[in-house]
Amino acid sequence: MSQPAPRPVHKTPQTRRTGPATPAELALAWSHSARFLTTAAQIHQLPVNELPEIAFVGRSNAGKSTAINTLAQQRQLAYASKTPGRTQHINLFHLGPREAPNQLWADLPGYGYAAVARAAKHRWQAVMTQYLEIRRSLSGVVQMIDSRHGFTELDKQLLAFVAPRVATGEVKLLVLLTKADKLNRKEGAQALRDAQEVLAELSTDDADIGVTLFSALNKSGVADVAETLQSWAAPEEVARQLAEVNRLAFEQAQENQALGMPEPWSDTDED
Ligand code: GDP
C-alpha cells in the first residue's frame, strides 16, 4: 500500500516589517525613553532647566500616574509620586537621547484629595501657583480629567493659574479625559464636547489647546498623546547644545538639596 504523499509544510511568512516606523511608533519609542531625574520638595530645589518642561497635573485618582506609566510603557516610573511622604513632591523625568535629553516631564502633586487638611490645601495652592505662574521653562501642561466627571471647580482653578500663559501661547495645554474605557461611544463624545466647552473660554488666536479621550486600559489616545508631546520636544541640535548647561545646573541643584532645606509643604505638618 502506498503511503499518502506528505502534505507540504507551509512556513508562516515572516511578518516583520522592514519599512520605516510610523510616526506613532517613533513617538512611543521616544516616550518610552522617560527616566527619573530627581525629586524636589520645594520650587527652589528644581534644577534650572532650559529644555521644554511639561507639567502633568490632575486631581488625586484622576489617573495621572497611570497615564505617565502608560505613555512611558513602564510600570513603575511614576511610582515615586505615590510613596508616602513623597506625594507632595515634584518628580522630574528626562526624555530623549541619554546624552542630549530633549524634554523634561514634571509630575506635580495630585490635588483635591478629601483627607488633606485645609492648611495643606493652601500650601498646595501656593506651590501650584508659584510653579504654573512663574516656572520659566514651563512650556506645556498635561491635565488629567476623569472622563466620567469632567472638569471640577478645582480643575478650573488650576487652569486659571496657568491661563494667562496659555492665552499667549507661551504654555501649551493638553487635556486627557482619562479612563475613557468606562464610557460608551456616545458618552465619550459628550465628554469631549463638554470639555471643549470649558476650554473654549481659554482659547485665543495664539493659544495651543488640545483635548483627547485617553485610556490606559485599551490604549486609546496613547499614541496620539505621545506624538503631541514629542512635537513639543527641543530640536536635536538645540538639545545637544543645552546638554552641558543642564547637566551643570542639575548638579548644582543636587548640591543645594544635599544642604537639607526644610520642606514647607510636607504631607504631615499642620499650620
Ligand atoms: P493618580 O492619583 O491621578 O495618579 O491616579 P492613578 O494613576 O493612581 O489611578 C487611579 C485609579 O484609576 C487606579 O485604580 C487606576 O487603576 C485607575 N485607572 C487609571 N487609569 C485608568 C484607565 O485608563 N482605565 C481604567 N478603567 N482605570 C484607570
Side-chain angles (χ1 to χ4, degrees):
M1 243 172 66
S2 64
Q3 294 280 328
R7 289 161 65 102
V9 178
H10 290 289
K11 274 199 170 161
T12 317
Q14 282 284 338
T15 49
R16 185 177 297 197
R17 221 166 9 87
T18 48
T22 64
E25 287 168 342
L26 290 170
L28 287 168
W30 170 81
S31 59
H32 184 52
S33 72
R35 62 262 178 200
F36 179 75
L37 176 67
T38 189
T39 184
Q42 300 182 83
I43 299 284
H44 72 82
Q45 287 177 345
L46 289 171
V48 173
N49 165 47
E50 303 292 336
L51 289 171
E53 186 166 314
I54 312 303
F56 286 72
V57 299
R59 284 178 72 95
S60 302
N61 217 39
K64 178 162 60 71
S65 311
T66 308
I68 292 173
N69 289 341
T70 303
L71 284 164
Q73 304 136 73
Q74 299 177 41
R75 268 202 223 161
Q76 299 269 329
L77 188 69
Y79 180 72
S81 52
K82 294 277 177 196
T83 312
R86 283 271 170 105
T87 56
Q88 301 285 301
H89 286 213
I90 295 175
N91 296 303
L92 299 182
F93 305 93
H94 258 164
L95 280 289
R98 257 168 214 283
E99 65 289 358
N102 51 23
Q103 192 174 94
L104 203 90
W105 288 358
D107 181 8
L108 264 63
Y111 50 88
Y113 182 52
V116 174
R118 212 148 62 100
K121 280 184 188 163
H122 286 147
R123 265 197 303 279
W124 166 78
Q125 190 158 343
V127 172
M128 290 295 192
T129 317
Q130 274 186 61
Y131 179 86
L132 295 171
E133 285 184 354
I134 64 173
R135 176 77 167 157
R136 195 173 54 81
S137 49
L138 183 67
S139 71
V141 169
V142 180
Q143 186 176 27
M144 261 57 56
I145 302 287
D146 191 317
S147 60
R148 295 165 301 171
H149 308 315
F151 284 89
T152 65
E153 273 316 303
L154 217 45
D155 293 319
K156 290 180 187 170
Q157 271 177 33
L158 181 129
L159 277 184
F161 296 151
V162 78
R165 299 173 81 187
V166 170
T168 62
E170 182 193 343
V171 173
K172 302 182 240 346
L173 174 64
L174 179 59
V175 171
L176 309 191
L177 301 175
T178 57
K179 313 184 193 181
D181 52 276
K182 290 180 184 272
L183 303 183
N184 63 31
R185 196 176 284 272
K186 195 166 161 227
E187 291 165 335
Q190 186 61 47
L192 260 181
R193 275 196 300 275
D194 291 346
Q196 277 159 348
E197 205 175 301
V198 172
L199 294 170
E201 289 174 26
L202 276 78
S203 180
T204 65
D205 283 349
D206 295 321
D208 182 342
I209 302 173
V211 56
T212 181
L213 292 166
F214 186 93
S215 166
L217 202 73
N218 66 21
K219 305 289 184 281
S220 62
V222 176
D224 285 347
V225 171
E227 279 191 60
T228 300
L229 294 178
Q230 190 188 25
S231 76
W232 295 353
E236 191 185 330
E237 195 46 44
V238 174
R240 215 190 295 278
Q241 284 168 8
L242 290 175
E244 183 61 7
V245 179
N246 282 323
R247 193 183 62 74
L248 292 174
F250 175 65
E251 283 174 6
Q252 183 64 56
Q254 292 292 88
E255 270 176 40
N256 291 349
Q257 216 161 5
L259 294 175
M261 308 289 190
E263 301 187 2
W265 73 78
S266 75
D267 283 332
T268 46
D269 65 341
E270 286 298 321
D271 286 0

